[in-house]
């Protein structure tokens, strides 16, 4: 690959990762706004109820409930950067009617950088969402993340179509170019940190997992 092409694609990955982090900052800001307004909402409701205006109070509650339905719940893994990328991708998956479940408990401070973590997890989730798009009926993504000693362990199972053929260390995807490069970037980052990534394709399902040193011993 030419150096110019490599740099262009690396810049693309960086821009995508920064976009994900900005998305979660926006969610944080919106939720802080609701927390700030909570006291005022309670005071308004108290005043309406004390005045006997029950119907007005109920209508006020309905409006608040409708607003809260449009606020994405921020995922709490223990790691802000991981919250960022997972929240952004989960929101995208839900828009496409893909059910997502996450079990994660991760320290906030890791030796792997925020940007690297975003690239790795973001690309794996992009791949899972792409696979789900090709499936009719039930579609899901199940994620498990935890620490094993000083190692960060990630496992993901998602619905997929037919069993995919392997090309080198990766499986073929419907997208080429930048998308395939993104997965290779994720693999390269893990290798640089002394970790590994594995994939397995079966009829109707696809699994991805990685293990990488992420804390100082």
């Amino acid at each position: 690959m030419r150096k110019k092409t490599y740099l262009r694609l690396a810049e693309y990955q960086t821009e995508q990762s920064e976009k994900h982090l900005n998305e979660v900052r926006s969610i944080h800001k919106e939720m802080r706004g609701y927390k700030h307004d909570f006291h005022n909402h309670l005071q308004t409701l108290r005043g309406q109820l004390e005045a006997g205006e029950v119907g007005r109070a109920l209508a006020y509650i309905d409006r608040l409930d409708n607003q809260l339905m449009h606020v994405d719940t921020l995922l709490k893994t223990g790691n802000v950067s991981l919250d960022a990328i997972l929240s952004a991708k989960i929101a995208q998956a839900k828009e496409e009617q893909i059910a997502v479940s996450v079990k994660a408990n991760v320290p906030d401070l890791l030796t792997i950088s925020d940007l690297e973590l975003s690239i790795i997890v973001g690309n794996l989730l992009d791949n899972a969402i792409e696979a789900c798009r090709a499936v009719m009926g039930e579609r899901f993504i199940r994620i498990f993340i935890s620490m094993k000693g000083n190692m960060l362990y990630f496992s993901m199972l998602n619905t997929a179509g037919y069993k995919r053929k392997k090309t080198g260390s990766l499986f073929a995807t419907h997208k080429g170019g930048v998308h395939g490069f993104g997965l290779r970037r994720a693999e390269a980052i893990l290798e640089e940190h002394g970790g590994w990534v594995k994939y397995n394709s079966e009829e109707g399902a696809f699994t991805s997992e990685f293990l990488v040193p992420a804390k100082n011993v």
Side-chain angles (χ1 to χ4, degrees):
M1 181 183 292
R2 293 180 179 177
K3 184 177 179 180
K4 185 177 180 181
T5 301
Y6 178 91
L7 292 174
R8 181 176 64 82
L9 294 175
E11 182 180 0
Y12 172 86
Q13 286 296 314
T14 301
E15 289 174 354
Q16 288 297 102
S17 299
E18 290 175 349
K19 176 186 175 184
H20 299 152
L21 292 173
N22 286 332
E23 285 173 348
V24 83
R25 289 190 188 106
S26 177
I27 295 172
H28 269 297
K29 184 178 179 181
E30 188 171 1
M31 294 186 75
R32 282 200 303 268
Y34 275 97
K35 182 178 179 181
H36 179 266
D37 293 339
F38 185 67
H39 179 72
N40 292 333
H41 292 318
L42 289 179
Q43 290 299 104
T44 299
L45 286 168
R46 178 187 291 275
Q48 291 172 342
L49 291 172
E50 287 178 346
E53 298 182 2
V54 177
R56 189 173 178 181
L58 289 173
Y60 190 87
I61 291 172
D62 286 340
R63 288 196 300 274
L64 286 177
D65 186 56
N66 184 60
Q67 289 180 14
L68 288 170
M69 288 292 289
H70 292 86
V71 178
D72 290 326
T73 301
L74 184 64
L75 190 68
K76 298 291 186 181
T77 66
N79 181 282
V80 174
S81 299
L82 198 56
D83 291 345
I85 185 61
L86 287 175
S87 294
K89 292 302 180 182
I90 288 172
Q92 180 184 341
K94 286 182 177 179
E95 286 179 1
E96 301 190 39
Q97 288 73 56
I98 300 170
V100 183
S101 63
V102 179
K103 290 184 178 180
N105 186 9
V106 182
D108 190 37
L109 298 177
L110 299 172
T111 54
I112 188 169
S113 75
D114 293 345
L115 184 58
E116 289 172 324
L117 191 61
S118 180
I119 290 172
I120 295 165
V121 176
N123 277 293
L124 291 177
L125 275 163
D126 281 340
N127 194 48
I129 291 171
E130 178 194 332
C132 287
R133 288 193 188 111
V135 176
M136 300 295 291
E138 182 186 11
R139 302 184 297 177
F140 64 82
I141 298 173
R142 296 170 186 164
I143 301 169
F144 175 79
I145 312 171
S146 69
M147 296 299 297
K148 293 182 180 293
N150 70 320
M151 309 285 281
L152 175 65
Y153 176 71
F154 173 99
S155 175
M156 179 170 64
L157 170 68
N158 59 269
T159 48
Y162 57 87
K163 184 175 181 178
R164 290 197 246 171
K165 293 182 179 180
K166 213 169 190 180
T167 303
S169 61
L170 300 175
F171 287 88
T173 66
H174 293 296
K175 294 181 181 179
V178 170
H179 182 71
F181 180 81
L183 289 175
R184 287 180 172 81
R185 278 266 287 158
E187 190 176 73
I189 290 170
L190 289 166
E191 289 178 355
E192 286 171 9
H193 284 271
W196 52 258
V197 60
K198 292 181 180 178
Y199 310 103
N200 186 50
S201 178
E202 299 294 341
E203 196 72 25
F206 192 89
T207 57
S208 310
E209 62 177 340
F210 70 76
L211 190 69
V212 63
K215 287 189 70 178
N216 292 319
V217 180

